[in-house]
Amino acid sequence: MTDTASQSALQAVRGMNDILPDEAPLWLYLEDTARRVFEQYGYRFLRMPIVEPTPLFVRSIGEATDVVEKEMYTFEDKLSGESLTLRPEATAGIVRASIQHNLTYERPQRVWTHGPMFRHERPQKGRYRQFHQLDVEALGFAGPEVDAEQIVLLARLWKALGLESCVTLKINSIGDPTDRHAYREALTTYFSQHFDILDDDSKRRLSTNPLRILDSKNPAMQPLIENAPRMLDQLGAEACTHFDGLRKWLDSAGLAYEIDSRLVRGLDYYNRSVFEWVTDRLGAQGTVAGGGRYDGLYESLGGKPTPACGFAAGIERLVLLLRETGQSAATAPLAYLVHQGDAAAALAWQLAETLRDAGHDVALHAGGGSMKSQMKKADAGGARFALILAEDEARDRTVTVKWLRETGREQQTVPIDGLVAWLTAVAV
Ligand code: HAM
């Protein structure tokens, strides 16, 4: 191809972002903190493929959901003709892996994963086409204490991240399938009585999934939704007991929550408990984590009945929130080694390795240049000091230490043989 368009610089796909080195430390800080908290509760890491057979998502997330109807990146495998999809979420893949490897055969399992998910949504702040989730699942647990455990775990994560004052908790129960069937009928009757004032989306959802009408963000629909029958009033005895149990555990943990009877979630596999942690600091995309119980999913994917619950948190939204609250996590080497001349270059190379052996972070200058330009790079890289090895130092087997952050601190000369001990002393 020789046309000009084919030679112009290529850009990332719309809605799919690069995470550059200046932004990455906050991501790593968040992921490390989350991992630590998840491990505290006994959750173990697993990783699944990013591509799965399309029917996995259709059968789990549900045909009448926005995700399956219009947001999936689906393509045909060129050789086999099989329909494949870039995962829009992680739960379906985890349950597929659990069934395939008989993960819960001997005992229930607490697992977590993180990574990219793909949804063809309209990109805006906090909403992307490739986004990243922290995903936590408890597989094979029936009681409400596990639902509560995951909510409390998130509260601990917010505290560890300094975000506890920016987020609030909403919970609801959407009952068991029979309760929901009755509720569906009640909703269908109610919304049919007001068919003329339904918007187009809601008219469509009335026959496919009337529960999703409750999720509508259209302001014109809100008064009608306000007065719709409430799921909580239709719960069967078992779902009611489960919800009371969840509330009891949350109360005993001293956690504040709002019961939001309109919280239905956008994926079809849920039953009983659903919850979301929301913030008002990010505009329209304010849900930072959401999840719930999905006791029927194993069976609908061909597995044995296995009660389970889980949640996912959006990493981009949490990073935005961390930034919003003024947090940063910049990383920089302790020392930047500058050098001049062949003998000094060879010595500097060895010295950098020796210092790294001793556990220090050292950036070694590469690419030549004057002392002045090397010092500029040392400063821009954020190091605490420069270690200078020019011809004199190489001859005397010393380095000159020049402080880059502590103004007023005199430069000093340190013998190379004593440098590890000196660095260890100043690094604390
Ligand atoms: P979800 O509510 O679809 O649930 O997504 C969970 C979180 O992922 C959202 O609260 C949000 O923070 C983030 N998120 C979703 N879509 C986007 C997007 N386009 N851009 C940026 N962030 C986004 C699930 O995915 C379920 N699998 C959660 C779960 C796990 N339920 C049980 N286990």
Side-chain angles (χ1 to χ4, degrees):
M1 271 199 283
T2 53
D3 59 295
T4 22
S6 70
Q7 290 176 356
S8 59
L10 291 168
Q11 303 272 318
V13 175
R14 188 164 128 76
M16 303 197 181
N17 300 312
D18 300 308
I19 297 133
L20 299 173
D22 279 349
E23 303 156 55
L26 217 43
W27 281 65
L28 295 176
Y29 161 67
L30 167 60
E31 287 165 2
D32 287 349
T33 310
R35 187 176 90 182
R36 186 64 210 108
V37 173
F38 299 164
E39 283 172 355
Q40 281 192 293
Y41 286 80
Y43 286 82
R44 299 189 303 149
F45 188 68
L46 89 170
R47 191 170 268 165
M48 312 81 63
I50 285 171
V51 177
E52 297 272 4
T54 305
L56 173 66
F57 301 116
V58 177
R59 276 162 66 183
S60 53
I61 296 169
E63 230 153 338
T65 57
D66 283 353
V67 172
V68 169
E69 264 183 1
K70 48 191 184 205
E71 295 170 2
M72 295 207 302
Y73 284 89
T74 296
F75 58 97
E76 200 173 275
D77 183 280
K78 277 195 185 136
L79 284 180
S80 69
E82 185 184 7
S83 178
L84 302 176
T85 293
L86 297 185
R87 63 182 186 192
E89 56 103 57
T91 313
I94 289 182
V95 172
R96 195 262 315 131
S98 170
I99 296 170
Q100 185 174 337
H101 304 286
N102 224 344
L103 219 58
T104 55
Y105 180 63
E106 287 186 333
R107 60 195 159 92
Q109 297 277 346
R110 289 179 168 89
V111 295
W112 75 279
T113 194
H114 70 142
M117 311 292 155
F118 302 83
R119 295 184 193 174
H120 201 278
E121 298 193 75
R122 198 170 44 78
Q124 63 179 91
K125 180 181 171 189
R127 187 165 71 188
Y128 311 99
R129 289 180 174 171
Q130 175 175 330
F131 61 98
H132 298 75
Q133 285 183 342
L134 296 162
D135 186 279
V136 171
E137 312 288 352
L139 311 172
F141 295 88
E145 68 274 26
V146 181
D147 314 23
E149 170 187 284
Q150 295 187 337
I151 293 172
V152 169
L153 169 157
L154 276 170
R156 184 180 292 274
L157 178 61
W158 310 144
K159 206 163 178 194
L161 294 169
L163 295 177
E164 71 270 38
S165 61
C166 318
V167 289
T168 55
L169 171 63
K170 291 180 175 186
I171 63 169
N172 190 22
S173 175
I174 56 167
D176 285 318
T178 43
D179 310 337
R180 225 168 29 261
H181 189 73
Y183 183 53
R184 236 179 126 106
E185 309 253 284
L187 277 185
T188 308
T189 309
Y190 171 78
F191 285 121
S192 301
Q193 283 161 357
H194 302 92
F195 190 80
D196 293 347
I197 49 172
L198 294 182
D199 63 11
D200 286 349
D201 249 2
S202 303
K203 278 184 178 144
R204 199 172 42 81
R205 285 171 173 165
L206 185 59
S207 54
T208 55
N209 187 354
L211 257 86
R212 299 275 295 123
I213 300 179
L214 302 179
D215 224 15
S216 165
K217 303 277 180 288
N218 182 353
M221 291 289 300
Q222 298 315 309
L224 195 59
I225 292 171
E226 281 309 328
N227 294 314
R230 286 167 18 115
M231 180 70 230
L232 280 177
D233 300 330
Q234 320 258 337
L235 291 187
E238 285 185 46
C240 227
T241 308
H242 191 96
F243 193 54
D244 288 345
L246 169 63
R247 293 188 55 188
K248 190 191 85 193
W249 287 107
L250 294 180
D251 291 339
S252 72
L255 215 58
Y257 53 84
E258 176 197 337
I259 297 176
D260 179 354
S261 62
R262 283 173 44 197
L263 181 64
V264 288
R265 312 269 306 127
L267 315 166
D268 275 0
Y269 47 62
Y270 294 109
N271 69 312
R272 299 194 181 175
S273 323
V274 288
F275 65 88
E276 284 185 353
W277 284 92
V278 296
T279 180
D280 56 11
R281 310 273 291 259
L282 297 181
Q285 306 306 318
T287 308
V288 290
R293 183 157 279 284
Y294 49 93
D295 296 328
L297 184 55
Y298 271 75
E299 272 173 289
S300 57
L301 293 177
K304 297 196 191 82
T306 308
C309 67
F311 69 82
I315 296 186
E316 281 82 354
R317 292 184 192 177
L318 289 173
V319 168
L320 281 170
L321 209 48
L322 286 172
R323 257 201 230 118
E324 191 65 26
T325 53
Q327 300 199 46
S328 65
T331 53
L334 178 66
Y336 190 98
L337 241 168
V338 308
H339 51 87
Q340 195 93 77
D342 290 346
L347 200 54
W349 174 279
Q350 271 176 15
L351 187 58
E353 284 296 298
T354 307
L355 298 178
R356 291 171 191 142
D357 285 345
H360 298 296
D361 299 352
V362 177
L364 174 63
H365 179 76
S370 68
M371 276 297 189
K372 196 169 163 206
S373 78
Q374 291 193 36
M375 288 303 293
K376 264 194 189 155
K377 292 195 172 102
D379 194 32
R384 200 171 149 206
F385 45 78
L387 299 176
I388 303 167
L389 248 172
E391 278 171 20
D392 289 352
E393 284 92 349
R395 189 194 56 229
D396 301 344
R397 291 193 60 81
T398 59
V399 293
T400 301
V401 179
K402 191 165 171 21
W403 297 90
L404 298 171
R405 313 277 150 231
E406 284 124 292
T407 44
R409 202 159 171 180
E410 298 262 309
Q411 73 175 45
Q412 61 194 105
T413 304
V414 180
I416 283 182
D417 292 341
L419 193 60
V420 167
W422 183 87
L423 259 184
T424 307
V426 299
V428 286

